[in-house]
Amino acid sequence: MTKKIPSKWKGACEEGQDFNASMCNFKLIGARYFNKGMIAANPNATITMNSPRDTIGHGTHTSSTVAGNYVNGASYNGYAKGVARGIAPRARLAMYKVAWEEGHYASDILAGMDQAIFDGVDVISISIGFDEVPLYEDTIAIASFAAMEKGIVVSSSAGNSGPMLRTLHNGIPWLITVAAGTMDRTFGSLILGNGKKIIGSTMFETNSIVENLPLVYNKTFSSCNSMNLVSQVNNKQVIILCDSISNSSVISQMNFVSTTEVLGAIFVSDNPSLFDLGGIYSPSIVINSEDAKSVINYAKTSKNPTASIKFQETFVGIKPAPIAAKYSSRGPSNSYQGILKPDIMAPGSRILAAYIPDETSSSDFVFMSGTSMSCPHVSGVAALLKASHPQWSAAAIRSAMMTTASFLDNTKTPIRDSGYLLQSASPFAIGAGEIDPNRAMNPGLIYDATPQDYVNLLCGLNYTKEQILSITRSSHYNCDNPSLDLNYPSFIAFFSNKTSLTGQKFKRTVTNVGDGGASYRVKVTQPKGYVVTVSPDILDFSYGNEKKSYYVFIKCVVYNEENVSFGDLVWIEDGGKHSVRSPIVVAPSGI
């Protein structure tokens, strides 16, 4: 990183409580705080930290995920030990504190985002959202429209209210909405007395020694959630095996065992989200039901079964991964359901990143889970794309991420959903799929959109002039060409008995951002019960930045008023260099 602040930067390092201008540097080049709205609503409030300083850790964690520099020997109490860095470690940061322990208010968020735009940022990462608010009253929609006009990418979190449908916030057409998934990483192992090693999952914070202890398994108290456990296990210097795989039962078991004096415990669960929003409070480990079979067999057949639990171990390459997180909010968007949201998924579960000084922990890094954690991954990739392609619009950068995302996990099967019994995840959960930063750098084709295109959408929604002005804050747009068919890198169609007879038509225009001429052929995976046709089915480009249009027609074959169907449309370049994928969702209109 050069020790020179970009000449375009207009920001400042605003002083306040426990924060002075000298705390900014060549990484943190700006820091401001906004609380006039909060003070107006709570004039007698005592502000906990009246400055840009973070008091709850959320901003520190997310910003270090976006652009934290290299840190050797990072870990959380020995877990995930190694070199930590953000997605764009050479990027610079400016912080805008708009949320307070005393509350957060729309006016402060708008002021903060507007200031960031004026200061000259390239990307805005915002892990905040509003629910049940129309676009013309949504502060983030209004501020992000101004950002989009200036080519600034806005990356936002989908929310943590999954897995039910229609729980998503930030379903705004001109920004990026990010869902959360798991990683291929886990912690801890179980070693049986016969030498068998089983990789499990634990985040017990103390380096407890649980070695070569008797392994106790008794079917009469294997539920591990009653006083039978205490009364029948006289020797507490043992490891007990609890074999219920219900997620709610496992949480109950954990809570109960933590109140006993039993030295170690083994729990059984196939749910990858067990630790996403909570910790583990006893020296224990979780294994899956398949591995549990061999442990139970060993406990039953061995004369003197023993086991050891190893903590502070880290394993990567775990399969399957990623998996859509149960908590991640799902589409369709309440802002406007005609745009498929979320757009993309990124790692959000058990993310290790920097944290504020905390008297209860000796670690400068902690694990946190949520779409607040997945959002900054996409923000960092947006920063890298912006640096590589400074001429690209915010829509082009979003398109590059979406069309190159993977809908397959590391077993080469469709990404699964922990909120729905590990079935294949719908685009309502994962959007186009898991972000792939390297492929996004060279997407082949992009779907672009101008500010006027978004206004055409608002006009098509029959917004009034005043409602549109509240979003655009400018009168130089017009409603000459209202359209609900935005040039977006995904497709969503809603059918009723009436529309099932006529079908739905879409127009899309792609721009060739590859090297010179190219020819693309379409491949469609049909949503169940529907037929998708594309015309033309071959796109021939003669030169770079050439645009070509095509039409998609979706017709219902078997109407089902309950089921969501999904497929995809992929443009494959001759020679196989690029494939440009768009998810397709077809749903009943009353979903």
Side-chain angles (χ1 to χ4, degrees), residues 176-196:
I176 305 172
T177 311
V178 186
T182 65
M183 299 172 63
D184 66 341
R185 181 176 67 187
T186 193
F187 309 104
S189 64
L190 171 69
I191 301 176
L192 303 180
N194 60 8
K196 183 178 179 62

Side-chain angles (χ1 to χ4, degrees), residues 237-558:
Q237 303 298 305
V238 299
I239 297 174
I240 60 171
L241 173 59
C242 310
D243 68 355
S244 172
I245 66 170
S246 162
N247 195 38
S248 59
S249 297
V250 171
I251 293 172
S252 174
Q253 290 172 349
M254 288 180 173
N255 291 334
F256 185 83
V257 170
S258 68
T259 67
T260 72
E261 297 176 359
V262 172
L263 198 56
I266 303 164
F267 304 106
V268 182
S269 176
D270 291 326
N271 195 317
S273 63
L274 190 61
F275 296 114
D276 282 347
L277 299 177
I280 184 167
Y281 307 106
S282 62
S284 51
I285 192 166
V286 178
I287 62 175
N288 64 44
S289 58
E290 189 60 33
D291 287 331
K293 294 176 183 177
S294 60
V295 180
I296 291 171
N297 182 63
Y298 168 71
K300 282 179 163 182
T301 58
S302 177
K303 187 175 181 180
N304 295 299
T306 61
S308 302
I309 301 174
K310 300 294 185 181
F311 304 100
Q312 297 180 322
E313 293 181 322
T314 302
F315 300 93
V316 295
I318 303 303
K319 296 180 179 181
I323 296 172
K326 181 178 181 179
Y327 58 79
S328 189
S329 292
R330 313 302 165 97
S333 167
N334 289 311
S335 299
Y336 171 53
Q337 68 177 15
I339 300 293
L340 177 58
K341 291 282 183 172
D343 294 307
I344 201 163
M345 185 176 79
S349 294
R350 292 200 280 183
I351 303 302
L352 184 77
Y355 200 65
I356 58 174
D358 185 354
E359 294 178 357
T360 64
S361 173
S362 59
S363 177
D364 293 329
F365 291 79
V366 300
F367 291 106
M368 296 180 75
S369 296
T371 56
S372 283
M373 284 66 248
S374 59
C375 166
H377 282 80
V378 172
S379 308
V381 175
L384 297 174
L385 285 171
K386 190 82 175 172
S388 297
H389 304 283
Q391 76 281 9
W392 281 7
S393 69
I397 288 174
R398 176 181 56 203
S399 173
M401 293 186 201
M402 291 176 64
T403 62
T404 57
S406 176
F407 69 101
L408 301 178
D409 62 23
N410 57 5
T411 68
K412 303 302 180 185
T413 58
I415 292 171
R416 298 160 208 192
D417 190 336
S418 65
Y420 290 92
L421 301 175
L422 297 181
Q423 298 173 8
S424 294
S426 159
F428 282 145
I430 66 173
E434 176 85 342
I435 192 169
D436 186 332
N438 292 331
R439 288 193 64 216
M441 290 290 172
N442 184 14
L445 304 176
I446 57 167
Y447 295 78
D448 212 345
T450 67
Q452 181 64 57
D453 291 330
Y454 294 112
V455 173
N456 292 343
L457 174 65
L458 299 177
C459 299
L461 288 169
N462 293 321
Y463 278 21
T464 67
K465 182 178 180 180
E466 289 73 22
Q467 289 169 341
I468 294 173
L469 274 172
S470 71
I471 296 170
T472 64
R473 293 183 281 179
S474 170
S475 59
H476 71 262
Y477 296 106
N478 62 69
C479 270
D480 295 343
N481 297 292
S483 174
L484 294 177
D485 192 13
L486 184 65
N487 194 43
Y488 216 79
S490 58
F491 300 87
I492 182 168
F494 291 92
F495 279 83
S496 64
N497 275 322
K498 187 175 181 180
T499 54
S500 67
L501 301 175
T502 58
Q504 294 188 38
K505 187 177 184 180
F506 303 84
K507 179 184 178 182
R508 292 292 187 268
T509 300
V510 288
T511 305
N512 173 28
V513 292
D515 299 324
S519 183
Y520 286 81
R521 300 173 188 271
V522 76
K523 178 183 177 183
V524 176
T525 301
Q526 304 286 349
K528 186 177 180 180
Y530 297 84
V531 173
V532 178
T533 55
V534 181
S535 178
D537 57 4
I538 298 176
L539 298 176
D540 289 313
F541 296 91
S542 301
Y543 52 88
N545 291 317
E546 184 181 4
K547 297 180 184 294
K548 293 281 186 180
S549 296
Y550 67 93
Y551 294 89
V552 174
F553 188 72
I554 302 178
K555 186 171 177 57
C556 179
V557 177
V558 180

